[in-house]
Amino acid sequence: MKESFHTEIAANGSKRFTYSLEMAAPQLRGPYTESPQMRGGMVRQQDLGRGRAGRGQRVDFDYAMELKLRETGFCRDGYFVIDRVVSQLGGEVRGECRDAAVR
């Protein structure tokens, strides 16, 4: 797993951040399974639960980002999302804090 958190404070005091998380791709683990309902196609065992795993990983991404923001104290009054891209293997969020930097 690879995590990064970059911050930027503009001259007007606005605070922006980019949080990204990259998870390792799952290793292929056999056995391959075939069922009569699959019309003869081969499917990896991991693919069978993939729909549920995607939702779980999205929750893990959001949790990791919230944890990083709390840990750093960068957005004390919350934030809003500028751009968001999340997939099964990680994601990236660009956001802006609701509070301004104190000079």
Side-chain angles (χ1 to χ4, degrees):
M1 189 162 68
K2 182 178 170 184
E3 177 185 54
S4 68
F5 182 68
H6 300 282
T7 61
E8 175 188 341
I9 299 176
N12 67 0
S14 65
K15 303 186 314 184
R16 291 189 179 154
F17 67 90
T18 302
Y19 176 79
S20 63
L21 181 66
E22 183 180 328
M23 295 181 230
Q27 298 295 317
L28 289 178
R29 287 184 258 154
Y32 287 93
T33 59
E34 183 175 349
S35 116
Q37 296 87 5
M38 291 186 219
R39 292 189 220 149
M42 301 294 278
V43 175
R44 288 192 315 253
Q45 202 169 21
Q46 295 91 336
D47 290 343
L48 298 175
R50 187 165 282 187
R52 279 180 271 124
R55 274 186 253 133
Q57 287 176 345
R58 176 170 284 215
V59 170
D60 291 346
F61 176 85
D62 291 340
Y63 176 75
M65 182 178 70
E66 292 292 333
L67 193 61
K68 179 58 78 175
L69 287 169
R70 270 188 261 140
E71 177 185 294
T72 61
F74 190 67
C75 293
R76 294 181 306 271
D77 295 332
Y79 64 94
F80 58 91
V81 174
I82 296 171
D83 187 37
R84 176 184 179 91
V85 177
V86 177
S87 72
Q88 288 184 330
L89 297 178
E92 180 176 283
V93 169
R94 290 186 318 121
E96 185 167 336
C97 301
R98 296 191 188 282
D99 57 303
V102 179
R103 291 184 170 222

